Amino acid sequence: MDDRVYLSLIYDFYGELLTEKQKYIFESRYGEDMSFQEIGENCGITKQAVSDTLRRTEKQLKKYEEKLGLAEKYVSRKEKIGLALKALESGNTEAVKEILESLLD
């Protein structure tokens, strides 16, 4: 998975654990594709401060995911549900049953 996509995914799970400043910088950079210069001007800080804050925020998000694994579980479940739907479409009820049971574990 692309690092940008991965960071956006884990932000969806853990973003509320960040400070308002971290959320603003992260959302401005990844959601609005703003430059460090633009973000810095809006926040009244330097480009370097934006870069440092963003780097620490990314590290913090990755640490949350490493400890809690919510995004990984979400992706895994989503993949299993996709497999179950394909098995259901093909009439393979035994495969559907196995997949659904694995989701309950």
Side-chain angles (χ1 to χ4, degrees), residues 17-73:
L17 300 174
L18 302 174
T19 66
E20 290 303 315
K21 183 177 180 180
Q22 287 174 312
K23 287 193 279 190
Y24 177 79
I25 290 173
F26 187 92
E27 290 172 5
S28 296
R29 182 66 179 160
Y30 289 106
E32 299 177 32
D33 204 27
M34 292 171 64
S35 70
F36 289 171
Q37 180 71 35
E38 292 171 311
I39 298 167
E41 288 171 3
N42 290 345
C43 292
I45 58 177
T46 65
K47 292 188 313 186
Q48 185 62 47
V50 171
S51 176
D52 291 345
T53 300
L54 189 60
R55 191 171 334 106
R56 282 192 310 273
T57 301
E58 291 169 355
K59 185 177 178 179
Q60 189 174 1
L61 289 169
K62 289 176 180 178
K63 193 171 190 170
Y64 288 144
E65 175 59 15
E66 182 182 305
K67 293 195 181 282
L68 300 172
L70 297 177
E72 182 181 337
K73 289 174 188 172

Side-chain angles (χ1 to χ4, degrees), residues 5-18:
V5 172
Y6 176 69
L7 286 168
S8 295
L9 176 65
I10 61 177
Y11 178 80
D12 288 343
F13 284 91
Y14 309 111
E16 289 303 312
L17 300 174
L18 302 174

